[in-house]
Amino acid sequence: MYANKIICFLKEKVALEDRKKRIVVNVVLGPFTHVTIDSLKAAFDAVLANEELGRVELCVKKNEVSIKCKKCGFVTKSAQPVFSCSACKCPDFEILSPEEFIIQSFEIK
Ligand SMILES: [Zn+2]
């Protein structure tokens, strides 16, 4: 679960004395994941309630995907899942940005 990954990340990176401060975590969701920004935030809040962490805010962005067609070489960029090349409709492609979930950075305020 992504929410648990964020908690583990925070426990590893945030010093004990900083856990009472406001923490903003920047997270990027890949376009192929079924997790929405709202469901991730809700899941995170539920997990956070059981942890010894202070006020943590998630700043979630949806990433674009890039696919490269194996037939014509055209690169399609989209924020939505893509299933075929937008130039020739060929379904045979290589995914150039496969990351599903990235914890980009965090800030202690
Ligand atoms: Zn193509």
Side-chain angles (χ1 to χ4, degrees):
M1 245 326 263
Y2 297 150
N4 289 310
K5 278 193 189 172
I6 302 167
I7 296 285
C8 289
F9 171 85
L10 289 173
K11 284 179 163 176
E12 200 182 299
K13 304 280 181 187
V14 180
L16 280 174
E17 66 266 27
D18 289 332
R19 291 186 186 180
K20 290 185 181 75
K21 295 176 186 164
R22 194 170 137 244
I23 303 164
V24 178
V25 189
N26 297 304
V27 173
V28 178
L29 280 178
F32 285 106
T33 177
H34 295 293
V35 177
T36 64
I37 292 173
D38 286 344
S39 70
L40 176 63
K41 283 185 174 175
F44 181 77
D45 285 345
V47 181
L48 183 68
N50 300 316
E51 299 291 338
E52 301 273 313
L53 287 159
R55 288 169 298 153
V56 184
E57 283 168 36
L58 286 190
C59 180
V60 190
K61 282 190 203 139
K62 268 272 193 180
N63 208 1
E64 282 198 331
V65 70
S66 297
I67 62 158
K68 190 177 180 191
C69 179
K70 285 188 179 171
K71 201 170 142 197
C72 75
F74 188 81
V75 175
T76 304
K77 278 193 172 190
S78 174
Q80 302 298 321
V82 185
F83 302 103
S84 63
C85 169
S86 62
C88 73
K89 307 293 174 212
C90 171
D92 195 15
F93 56 80
E94 177 190 347
I95 297 171
L96 301 176
S97 50
E99 299 267 27
E100 277 296 280
F101 173 72
I102 311 155
I103 301 173
Q104 230 172 17
S105 59
F106 71 95
E107 298 150 51
I108 293 162
K109 305 267 175 169

